[in-house]
Amino acid sequence: AALHSLRHPFVLQLGTGQLPPATFKGYIAQDAFFLRSFAKSYAHALTKCTDLEGIQAFHGLIGAVCDELKMHVKYCEELGIAAEDMERPNPATELYCNFL
């Protein structure tokens, strides 16, 4: 099943540069929303840590997600994606982020 995802049209078009710009913009906006939710989930997990090792681990994970989010914000600026678009998840993104 995981290998099947490598042949998904989105992945193939992204890899060949044939992904429609509107589709890529939508993906970037949704992924930015997801990354913010992911960072919050890591932060919540960090509050449950009782040892320094766990705190340091989640600190590193949050930092990595924030670095990736910076890249997405830059993409949004370059592609003309409005900040509001990063605030509006589609139904699937919202359900997944609520699960986190």
Side-chain angles (χ1 to χ4, degrees):
L3 290 177
H4 181 69
S5 66
L6 296 176
R7 293 185 297 274
H8 188 278
F10 177 90
V11 174
L12 295 174
Q13 291 174 352
L14 182 64
T16 61
Q18 297 175 336
L19 189 67
T23 303
F24 183 70
K25 288 180 180 182
Y27 162 74
I28 291 295
Q30 292 303 297
D31 201 42
F33 183 90
F34 162 77
L35 287 169
R36 288 180 38 194
S37 296
F38 210 52
K40 290 177 186 178
S41 294
Y42 279 152
H44 180 71
L46 184 144
T47 68
K48 305 298 181 186
C49 291
T50 57
D51 61 7
L52 183 59
E53 182 180 348
I55 292 169
Q56 290 172 330
F58 280 107
H59 174 266
L61 291 168
I62 293 167
V65 170
C66 288
D67 287 344
E68 188 174 350
L69 189 52
K70 285 180 195 174
M71 179 183 66
H72 278 61
V73 170
K74 183 179 175 201
Y75 278 150
C76 288
E77 291 170 358
E78 291 174 1
L79 297 171
I81 300 169
E84 307 85 58
D85 291 340
M86 293 186 287
E87 303 287 332
R88 286 187 295 239
N90 67 32
T93 303
E94 185 170 27
L95 285 171
Y96 185 74
C97 290
N98 288 343
F99 172 76
L100 294 175

